[in-house]
């Protein structure tokens, strides 16, 4: 059954030999020009004058464009039309593109940008959450509020009450391949775009708007990205539109690749935020009532901030059945990079909020934090007698909850309770080093919360030699989507894996696609590929039945053989004869997610088809003198339903954990008082290295299947494992708590400096 | 523009001669002049390792070396280690043990790993962790990269013993 096999990534052979091509590796036609943006060094202000004469005079420079030179739409936003490609009168953050240089080479273009004389009258910049709140600088008319029960009156009956606050830093995607695009001008003003994007259709739309041509005149092709993580959902628009404009002006191919520092300075990142909490709970740690206030720093433009902040609210409960809860979400507008999608899409921030509350409750009651969490879980799907499903803060019934069983299994297999005792014993005999251990669960909602995005198309073509080419709307960014979908096609067609190939994503083959995002790639496109395959198999069965006098339902296609009573044919024989019988060997497939519908303003309904679950236990050690720390061990049990490819799924889980732990530990973004991002290269922004991964790292898949009829009963896997990184943060908190009687109040990222400060807080010696 | 200098390199067994500006970085020589695009540009500040090549027996990040500094050197890139139909044991191991996801870091990672295994033929897990710490990967969490190197080391040692 090839749909569940741990086969290697479809392009593994090309990757290991350096022959897999990314946008920057595509051989460019003679005469290709290269682009660079000139950036604002000011966070907020009015552009007084732009003198580009020295830039234009620079040898090798062909064209320089400003906002006033753009013939049509000057916009690269995903939907709100609030993001000019080139600043128009005002600048809104330090790093905003003001002009575009088109030159003979990448370096010439970049050097030429430095010759501009730009005068900006600076205005007061709104940089921090506090400044934005004071200035009432926000998106939407006011905060969004979701409420379940009567949280305020329930607080009167609460036995214990805690209030607190956690600040969460943002995160740079640091996809190893920076943003890149290549535009090739064609006949009739057509444009072909190669882009490193998760959203080819949006690139198509933005290019069509910028050139004032129909969407059918723009073809966007994406073979692969060198990592995306959400950072290529909307942030590639500017490069593709710039290349298309320059190609249209010059009639020559145009290419743009951000230098790494520019990539950091120009593009959006994960939203940083502050979460305030006020919780009432009983003696067992069971939450009685809870109020959250989320303050999200969205940056200068809307981008995807509303659905990101919504998803944070939708995960403010995580795995916990909260009887009374109110979540207030502020979406603040600041003069910084426009924060964007990043793996988890707000979910991680929402989840850290509630996990912090659980940690704080357990500390205040001196209870085992894992036990406090279990006491607050939603009712288990398998509980007998069947429990009445509880509802989330947004009124969706939780009917597929399996974390009770998963937690029990994980705690046993990683020997949690004995290790907790051992950690305490070890800490008692070590004065300077302290260990910590923590458990955290994940319940992550699967579906785009903008309901209409939950659709996908596919085109499956069989050629006369029996080889099969599948096309679909999803993009490959390393997650193994193409491999999974070739396996889906092989199983659906009953053909051998070797005859199936996935083509580059292409807007001229499958139109009107959604971004490859929200972990939905395999769920949506897998179903669309299967639908196309089913159509083809229906035709082939009818053909074989007519030709050989058997019934269609008696025919089986499996592993490249076609069998019926008294009949054995090869796949190739059937395809050859079907062609001669003039049977169409090409079919489209389409899928839309059933059952989902909700009201995001009220916060009520069913935004998700199902939930993906997981649980992690992480152990760390800290040096109390320096705050330095190490992850010693991590054990994860994760739910991929009936996995489409266990090896690829385990890879997503391992990578997700390390990336999530990086977010909450070493990865710190620093802006100075004037709004300049000071950490804009890997020299100052530290993502985890090989030496940072856990010394012991055990990942297991939960042996279940999706209760929903997803593609072969699998579950989405891209984002949910990211949030296992929260267990590393909690383990650090646990280690710090071993230093003194006070709650560590650990803030994120918990880098060495923060751990050092938290040790002082735990001891009550903070200055 | 400074005066161009004559440069002679041996890249993957082939002699290359050309005139280059003194500040031409080796990664650009490889990618743009010689169309060797396996080594990738990640950060251009010698931190990420995507551009790693081997120069005269040492792992070097080719984004922070000038072409003129490599005058007369023997350079091996991923293309010189093995092609798609002629994989080196390390390449085979990275493929089979899922030591890659997006693949962008992979050429530099494998190029570095070939030197690591020359320096330490049977490395411990800790030696791999620190020997590979100069090459960043954002996708895998490194687990399968370490496994791939361990598998290749075992296979290469066994092959060497069998030959002796």
């Amino acid at each position: 059954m090839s749909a569940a096999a741990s086969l290697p990534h479809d392009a593994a052979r090309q990757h290991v030999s350096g022959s897999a091509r990314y946008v920057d590796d595509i051989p460019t036609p003679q005469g290709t020009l290269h682009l660079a943006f000139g950036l604002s060094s000011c966070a907020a202000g009015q552009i007084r004058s732009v003198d580009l004469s020295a830039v234009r005079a620079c040898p090798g420079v062909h064209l320089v464009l400003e906002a006033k030179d753009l013939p049509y739409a000057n916009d690269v936003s995903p939907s709100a039309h609030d993001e000019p490609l080139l600043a128009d009168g005002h600048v809104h953050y330090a790093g905003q593109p003001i002009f575009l240089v088109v030159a003979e080479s990448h370096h010439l273009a970049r050097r030429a940008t430095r010759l501009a004389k730009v005068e900006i009258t600076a205005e007061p910049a709104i940089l921090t959450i506090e400044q934005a709140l004071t200035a009432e600088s926000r998106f939407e008319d006011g905060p969004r509020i979701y409420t379940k029960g009567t949280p305020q009156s329930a607080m009167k009956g609460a036995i214990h009450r805690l209030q607190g606050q956690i600040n969460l830093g943002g995160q740079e995607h640091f996809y190893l391949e920076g943003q890149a695009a290549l535009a090739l001008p064609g006949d009739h003003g057509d444009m072909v775009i190669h882009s490193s994007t998760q959203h080819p259709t949006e690139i198509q739309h933005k290019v069509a708007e910028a050139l004032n041509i129909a969407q059918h005149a723009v073809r966007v092709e994406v073979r692969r990205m060198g990592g995306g993580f959400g950072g290529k959902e909307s942030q590639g628009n500017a490069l593709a539109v710039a290349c298309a404009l320059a190609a249209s002006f010059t009639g020559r191919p145009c290419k743009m690749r951000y230098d790494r520092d520019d990539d950091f300075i120009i593009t959006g990142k994960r939203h940083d935020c502050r979460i305030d909490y006020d919780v009432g709970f009983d003696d067992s740690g069971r939450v009685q009532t809870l109020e959250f206030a989320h303050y999200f720093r969205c940056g200068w433009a809307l981008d995807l901030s509303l659905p990101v902040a919504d998803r944070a609210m939708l995960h403010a409960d995580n795995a916990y059945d909260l009887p009374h809860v109110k979540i207030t979400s502020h979406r603040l507008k600041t003069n910084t990079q426009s924060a964007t999608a990043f793996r988890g899409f707000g979910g991680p921030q929402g989840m850290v909020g509630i996990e912090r509350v659980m940690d704080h409750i357990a500390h205040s009651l001196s209870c085992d934090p894992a036990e406090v969490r279990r006491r607050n879980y939603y009712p288990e799907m398998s509980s007998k007698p069947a429990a009445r499903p509880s509802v989330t803060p947004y009124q969706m019934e939780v009917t597929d909850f399996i974390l009770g069983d998963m937690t029990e299994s994980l705690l046993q297999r990683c020997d949690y309770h004995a290790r907790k005792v051992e950690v305490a014993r070890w800490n008692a005999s070590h004065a300077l080093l302290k260990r910590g251990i923590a458990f955290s669960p994940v319940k992550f909602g699967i579906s785009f919360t903008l309901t209409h995005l939950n659709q996908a198309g596919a085109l499956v073509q069989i050629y006369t030699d029996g080889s099969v080419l599948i096309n679909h709307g999803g993009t490959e960014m390393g997650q193994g989507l193409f491999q999974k979908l070739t396996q889906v096609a092989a199983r659906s067609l009953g053909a051998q894996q070797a005859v199936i190939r996935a083509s580059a994503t292409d807007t001229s083959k499958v139109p009107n696609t959604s971004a490859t995002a929200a972990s939905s790639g395999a769920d949506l496109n897998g179903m669309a590929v299967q639908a196309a395959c089913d159509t083809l198999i229906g035709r082939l069965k009818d053909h074989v039945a007519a030709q050989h006098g058997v019934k269609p339902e008696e025919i089986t296609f499996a592993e490249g053989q076609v069998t019926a009573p008294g009949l054995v044919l090869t796949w190739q024989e059937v395809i050859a004869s079907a062609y001669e019988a003039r049977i169409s060997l090409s079919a489209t497939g389409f899928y839309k997610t059933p059952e989902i519908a909700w009201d995001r303003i009220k916060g009520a309904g069913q935004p998700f088809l199902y939930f993906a679950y997981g649980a992690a236990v992480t152990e760390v050690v800290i040096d109390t003198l320096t705050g330095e720390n190490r992850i010693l061990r991590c054990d994860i049990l994760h739910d991929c339903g009936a996995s489409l490819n266990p090896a690829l799924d385990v890879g997503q889980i391992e990578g997700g954990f390390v990336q999530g732990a990086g977010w909450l530990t070493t990865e710190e973004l620093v802006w100075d008082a004037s709004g300049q991002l000071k950490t804009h290269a890997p020299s100052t922004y530290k993502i985890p290295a090989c030496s940072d991964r856990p010394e012991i790292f055990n990942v297991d898949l939960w042996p279940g299947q999706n209760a929903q009829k997803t593609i072969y009963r699998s579950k989405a896997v891209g984002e949910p494992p990211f949030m296992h990184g929260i267990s590393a943060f909690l383990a650090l908190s646990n280690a710090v708590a071993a230093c003194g009687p006070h709650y560590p109040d650990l803030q994120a990222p918990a880098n060495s400096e923060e751990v050092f400060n938290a040790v002082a807080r735990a001891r009550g010696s903070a200055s | 523009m400074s005066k161009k200098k004559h440069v002679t390199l041996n890249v993957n067994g082939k002699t290359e001669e050309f005139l280059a500006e003194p500040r031409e970085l080796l990664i650009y020589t490889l990618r743009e002049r010689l169309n060797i695009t396996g080594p990738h540009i990640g950060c251009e500040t010698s931190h990420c390792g995507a551009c790693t090549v081997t120069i005269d027996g040492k792992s070097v990040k080719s984004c922070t070396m000038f072409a003129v500094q490599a005058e007369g050197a023997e350079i091996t890139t991923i293309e010189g280690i093995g092609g798609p139909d002629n994989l080196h044991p390390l390449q085979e191991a990275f493929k089979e043990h899922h030591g890659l996801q997006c693949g962008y870091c992979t050429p530099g990672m494998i190029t570095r790993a070939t030197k690591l295994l020359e320096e330490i033929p049977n490395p411990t897990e800790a030696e791999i962790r620190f020997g590979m710490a100069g090459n960043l990967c954002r996708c895998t969490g490194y687990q399968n990269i370490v496994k791939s190197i361990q598998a290749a080391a075992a296979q290469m040692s066994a092959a060497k013993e069998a030959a002796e």
Side-chain angles (χ1 to χ4, degrees):
Chain A
M1 211 180 287
S2 53
S6 285
L7 299 174
H9 189 283
D10 70 302
R13 185 175 292 280
Q14 285 67 43
H15 284 305
V16 300
S17 56
S19 56
R21 278 182 180 150
Y22 302 83
V23 170
D24 198 31
D25 300 333
I26 297 171
T28 49
Q30 198 178 8
T32 299
L33 297 171
H34 300 263
L35 278 55
F37 285 127
L39 309 179
S40 171
S41 55
C42 174
Q46 199 172 355
I47 300 174
R48 284 288 160 210
S49 67
V50 181
D51 178 1
L52 299 173
S53 52
V55 183
R56 289 199 171 88
C58 191
V61 170
H62 281 244
L63 179 71
V64 184
L65 296 173
E66 294 174 72
K68 61 180 162 61
D69 303 318
L70 305 186
Y72 303 107
N74 176 18
D75 180 62
V76 291
S77 70
S79 59
H81 299 282
D82 64 344
E83 246 180 280
L85 170 72
L86 299 173
D88 197 0
H90 271 81
V91 290
H92 301 278
Y93 76 102
Q96 184 175 355
I98 296 176
F99 62 95
L100 174 67
V101 178
V102 183
E104 294 282 345
S105 79
H106 174 77
H107 282 135
L108 269 178
R110 294 197 69 224
R111 275 181 225 146
T113 62
R114 304 296 195 267
L115 302 173
K117 294 192 185 80
V118 178
E119 284 181 36
I120 296 171
T121 306
E123 291 164 0
I126 296 168
L127 299 173
T128 64
I129 287 168
E130 290 69 28
Q131 287 168 351
L133 285 170
T134 303
E136 267 297 308
S137 175
R138 61 170 75 234
F139 295 102
E140 299 191 297
D141 47 351
R144 292 262 76 78
I145 299 170
Y146 296 171
T147 310
K148 176 185 167 190
T150 52
Q152 230 173 350
S153 56
M155 192 60 85
K156 294 189 192 99
I159 297 168
H160 305 281
R161 183 174 183 174
L162 280 173
Q163 289 164 307
Q165 187 179 88
I166 182 165
N167 291 286
L168 289 163
Q171 187 177 26
E172 162 64 32
H173 302 84
F174 209 90
Y175 24 64
L176 259 283
E177 177 213 24
Q179 307 272 352
L182 168 66
L184 306 168
D187 290 354
H188 306 295
D190 288 6
M191 200 62 72
V192 175
I193 309 282
H194 294 271
S195 169
S196 183
T197 179
Q198 293 172 240
H199 201 346
T201 288
E202 187 168 287
I203 297 279
Q204 178 196 22
H205 292 180
K206 301 315 290 189
V207 166
E209 284 172 25
L211 300 182
N212 194 34
I213 55 180
Q215 290 170 4
H216 68 202
V218 182
R219 183 171 83 76
V220 180
E221 184 178 320
V222 183
R223 176 56 188 89
R224 64 172 59 82
M225 283 161 271
F229 316 115
K232 293 173 180 172
E233 187 167 346
S234 61
Q235 304 300 298
N237 294 356
L239 299 91
V241 169
C243 287
L245 279 164
S248 173
F249 272 99
T250 61
R252 288 166 68 163
C254 287
K255 177 172 163 179
M256 187 172 207
R257 171 176 67 75
Y258 282 166
D259 166 81
R260 179 62 66 179
D261 296 76
D262 287 353
D263 204 316
F264 264 84
I265 289 166
I266 297 170
T267 67
K269 308 167 196 323
R270 184 184 297 284
H271 292 69
D272 51 50
C273 67
R274 190 182 98 203
I275 298 178
D276 297 352
Y277 55 92
D278 185 356
V279 60
F281 53 99
D282 67 16
D283 290 332
S284 71
R286 183 87 177 83
V287 171
Q288 295 173 297
T289 182
L290 175 57
E291 291 195 31
F292 278 121
H294 291 178
Y295 301 91
F296 271 60
R297 200 168 66 132
C298 301
W300 72 285
L302 193 58
D303 191 74
L304 303 165
S305 290
L306 300 188
V308 166
D310 289 349
R311 189 169 275 269
M313 299 173 82
L314 296 171
H315 289 78
D317 59 333
N318 194 14
Y320 312 111
D321 188 3
L322 307 169
H324 301 278
V325 58
K326 178 181 175 186
I327 307 147
T328 305
S329 171
H330 301 265
R331 293 88 194 267
L332 303 169
K333 187 174 182 177
T334 52
N335 294 112
T336 47
Q337 289 81 356
S338 184
T340 190
F342 196 142
R343 202 174 193 173
F345 206 73
Q349 291 94 318
M351 229 178 257
V352 170
I354 185 74
E355 292 306 327
R356 167 52 166 267
V357 168
M358 291 295 155
D359 192 55
H360 204 164
I361 291 172
H363 186 269
S364 77
L365 295 174
S366 299
C367 278
D368 173 35
E371 200 46 48
V372 168
R373 287 182 166 84
R374 289 210 273 190
R375 286 176 190 149
N376 282 287
Y377 273 174
Y378 281 105
E380 192 80 356
M381 179 173 78
S382 66
S383 60
K384 298 218 171 54
R388 204 161 147 253
S390 194
V391 298
T392 63
Y394 46 93
Q395 318 300 330
M396 176 173 161
E397 284 195 344
V398 180
T399 58
D400 59 3
F401 197 79
I402 51 176
L403 272 170
D405 290 343
M406 288 182 75
T407 302
E408 185 55 33
S409 175
L410 176 69
L411 296 185
Q412 278 188 22
R413 69 177 78 186
C414 79
D415 211 10
Y416 170 79
H417 293 287
R419 282 169 57 206
K420 221 180 130 227
V421 172
E422 171 58 21
V423 163
R425 195 196 60 76
W426 194 90
N427 284 343
S429 62
H430 289 76
L432 300 180
L433 301 181
K434 296 290 178 190
R435 289 189 174 189
I437 185 168
F439 160 81
S440 68
V442 171
K443 163 181 142 285
F444 194 79
I446 301 298
S447 290
F448 283 103
T449 56
L450 185 54
T451 302
H452 78 253
L453 297 179
N454 295 288
Q455 57 172 308
L459 171 65
V460 176
Q461 308 182 130
I462 307 173
Y463 296 92
T464 54
D465 63 354
S467 64
V468 179
L469 189 65
I470 65 167
N471 311 274
H472 54 83
T475 55
E476 176 65 43
M477 61 196 97
Q479 80 277 46
L481 176 65
F482 281 22
Q483 179 59 35
K484 281 187 173 179
L485 297 196
T486 58
Q487 291 180 220
V488 166
R491 180 162 163 186
S492 303
L493 294 172
Q496 283 174 320
Q497 182 72 32
V499 305
I500 318 269
R501 186 161 175 170
S503 80
T505 315
D506 186 332
T507 56
S508 71
K509 286 185 172 171
V510 175
N512 312 327
T513 59
S514 296
T516 308
S519 307
S520 69
D523 273 19
L524 297 177
N525 295 289
M527 292 297 265
V529 166
Q530 188 185 43
C533 292
D534 287 348
T535 299
L536 289 166
I537 284 294
R539 290 180 200 156
L540 292 172
K541 281 187 175 173
D542 287 346
H543 163 65
V544 173
Q547 202 178 32
H548 296 278
V550 293
K551 290 179 184 160
E553 57 272 20
E554 293 173 336
I555 304 167
T556 306
F557 284 69
E559 299 290 330
Q561 280 219 325
V562 182
T563 52
L567 183 70
V568 179
L569 297 165
T570 66
W571 166 260
Q572 279 78 9
E573 285 168 343
V574 170
I575 298 305
S577 77
Y579 168 72
E580 284 170 15
R582 296 187 289 178
I583 306 295
S584 167
L585 294 173
S586 162
T588 59
F590 185 78
Y591 175 72
K592 58 180 176 179
T593 310
E595 295 184 32
I596 46 176
W598 78 301
D599 180 336
R600 70 165 282 268
I601 302 300
K602 285 189 196 150
Q606 184 178 345
F608 306 122
L609 182 62
Y610 64 89
F611 295 100
Y613 297 95
V617 170
T618 297
E619 185 175 342
V620 301
V621 61
I622 64 167
D623 181 333
T624 58
L625 293 178
T626 63
E628 279 183 280
N629 54 79
R630 289 263 182 278
I631 298 175
L632 300 174
R633 175 171 170 180
C634 174
D635 295 81
I636 294 173
L637 184 56
H638 196 85
D639 160 37
C640 299
S643 171
L644 288 174
N645 181 319
L648 294 179
D649 284 350
V650 168
Q652 287 297 299
I653 296 161
E654 291 166 350
F657 169 81
V658 170
Q659 200 175 64
W663 168 48
L664 294 170
T665 58
T666 62
E667 297 184 36
E668 184 179 25
L669 291 162
V670 179
W671 284 266
D672 69 12
S674 70
Q676 315 279 336
L677 178 66
K678 304 310 284 185
T679 50
H680 49 76
S683 51
T684 47
Y685 184 81
K686 306 308 276 185
I687 70 166
C690 192
S691 46
D692 295 321
R693 63 181 256 285
E695 286 173 19
I696 302 169
F697 199 178
N698 301 312
V699 175
D700 291 301
L701 299 183
W702 179 248
Q705 60 170 14
N706 199 336
Q708 290 289 340
K709 289 177 190 159
T710 50
I711 185 71
Y712 295 117
R713 300 273 182 177
S714 62
K715 285 194 180 185
V717 70
E719 292 164 294
F722 178 88
M723 284 147 277
H724 292 313
I726 296 170
S727 62
F729 180 76
L730 295 167
L732 287 170
S733 178
N734 184 248
V736 175
C739 300
H742 305 283
Y743 187 61
D745 192 24
L746 195 64
Q747 306 293 306
N751 56 14
S752 300
E753 188 180 355
E754 171 56 19
V755 168
F756 178 81
N757 289 333
V759 167
R761 287 195 292 271
R763 287 174 175 156
S765 58
S767 55
Chain B
M1 301 274 172
S2 311
K3 199 176 163 210
K4 289 189 176 179
K5 298 255 163 64
H6 185 264
V7 182
T8 307
L9 309 174
N10 185 297
V11 184
N12 299 329
K14 194 174 156 203
T15 301
E16 306 281 359
E17 288 186 59
F18 52 91
L19 286 171
E21 265 190 75
R23 64 179 164 187
E24 178 174 310
L25 293 167
L26 184 59
I27 184 68
Y28 285 89
T29 306
L30 295 172
R31 291 179 54 82
E32 296 184 358
R33 194 182 282 283
L34 307 177
N35 297 313
I36 294 170
T37 55
H40 291 130
I41 296 172
C43 69
E44 291 185 81
T45 49
S46 78
H47 285 91
C48 81
C51 64
T52 303
V53 300
T54 304
I55 299 182
D56 292 338
K58 287 198 174 120
S59 294
V60 172
K61 290 170 179 175
S62 60
C63 73
T64 35
M65 182 173 198
F66 295 119
V68 293
Q69 289 176 296
E71 169 64 31
E74 299 253 346
I75 300 174
T76 306
T77 71
I78 188 71
E79 289 87 347
I81 292 168
D85 300 316
N86 177 32
L87 298 181
H88 181 279
L90 263 164
Q91 293 172 315
E92 189 67 35
F94 269 72
K95 174 167 88 62
E96 288 303 311
H97 294 269
H98 304 270
L100 61 94
Q101 284 180 27
C102 87
Y104 200 79
C105 72
T106 309
M109 197 71 77
I110 292 176
T111 306
R112 168 60 199 144
T114 59
K115 294 317 297 175
L116 177 72
L117 293 190
E118 276 180 34
E119 294 157 13
I120 316 169
N122 290 296
T124 62
E125 207 264 358
E127 284 168 335
I128 296 174
R129 291 161 65 89
F130 289 93
M132 297 300 295
N135 288 67
L136 297 177
C137 167
R138 190 54 152 166
C139 299
T140 63
Y142 303 99
Q143 186 77 348
N144 287 338
I145 289 174
V146 174
K147 278 188 198 164
S148 301
I149 294 171
Q150 286 173 321
Q155 202 265 321
M156 288 163 71
S157 293
K160 200 175 162 198
E161 271 178 34
E164 279 165 3

